Each structure stands twice: as structure tokens, then as C-alpha cells.
């Protein structure tokens, strides 16, 4: 059985959209396959309206332990160098490269800290 959330990820639409269009909380793989093979009008319209600027779902994977989840990206998220589970010790995170500075952003997905490494303005000297 596939959850409604997993169906939304597979269809590449927001969870709210599959709820609004009456998809059940649980469905079989065959039911999801039928929707993918013959998309209903609301799904066709959703795909036609896509601008391609931002993905509907992103795949997050901890750089330390490998924990994975799909999440809806937020407008404020920059391009992350790494994401790590919030409970990992900072020493476990891959070291920042010479000539780069690091920022950390809490609240990424359900449990991650986003790590952003950018070139230092002075070249790291």
C-alpha cells in the first residue's frame, strides 16, 4: 500500500493537491500506476502549469548517516552544500574547504540542518 504522501511524491504534486482531488489515504501500486498511465485532468493541468523554476519535492540525504526524506522546498532555502540531521555533532560534518566560509540553517525538512559553503570574499586569506 502507498500512502497519500508517497503518491503525491510519485505524481510530483503537493500533498494538498492530492487531498483536494480525493485520493485516498492509502492506495495500491496498481491504483497509482493507473493514475500515472492515464492522468486525470487536474494532474494534466498541474503539469501544464509548471514553470520549472522550483521543484515540487526535493530529496534530502544526511551527509553523515545517510537518512533520507522527501520534502517540499521552501522559498528561503539556498543551494545546500550538505544537509545533516540536527542531532549530529558538528565534528561529524565534512570539513569546510580552504577558502570557503560556512553557514548553517536550521529547520530544513523534518530534522535537518542545511550547510552552505561559499567562497570567502577575500579568497580565504
Amino acid at each position: 500500500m502507498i500512502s497519500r504522501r508517497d503518491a503525491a511524491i510519485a505524481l510530483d504534486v503537493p500533498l494538498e493537491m492530492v487531498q483536494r482531488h480525493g485520493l485516498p489515504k492509502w492506495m495500491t501500486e496498481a491504483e497509482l500506476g493507473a493514475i500515472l498511465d492515464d492522468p486525470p485532468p487536474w494532474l494534466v493541468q498541474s503539469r501544464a502549469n509548471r514553470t520549472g523554476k522550483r521543484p515540487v519535492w526535493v530529496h534530502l540525504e544526511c551527509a553523515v548517516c545517510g537518512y533520507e526524506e522527501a520534502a517540499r522546498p521552501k522559498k528561503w532555502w539556498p543551494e545546500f552544500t550538505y544537509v545533516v540531521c540536527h542531532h549530529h555533532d558538528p565534528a561529524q560534518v565534512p570539513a569546510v574547504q580552504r577558502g570557503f566560509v560556512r553557514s548553517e540553517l536550521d529547520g530544513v525538512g523534518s530534522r535537518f540542518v542545511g550547510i552552505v559553503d561559499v567562497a570567502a570574499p577575500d579568497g580565504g586569506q
Side-chain angles (χ1 to χ4, degrees), residues 47-92:
R47 291 175 176 169
N49 290 344
R50 260 216 205 123
T51 63
K53 293 179 184 173
R54 287 184 42 227
V56 177
W57 294 92
V58 293
H59 177 80
L60 303 172
E61 181 176 352
C62 177
V64 176
C65 69
Y67 175 82
E68 301 176 36
E69 76 177 35
R72 294 290 309 276
K74 307 300 181 227
K75 291 179 182 179
W76 55 267
W77 286 5
E79 184 70 32
F80 297 117
T81 307
Y82 306 105
V83 291
V84 296
C85 297
H86 61 78
H87 64 270
H88 291 304
D89 187 88
Q92 294 177 290

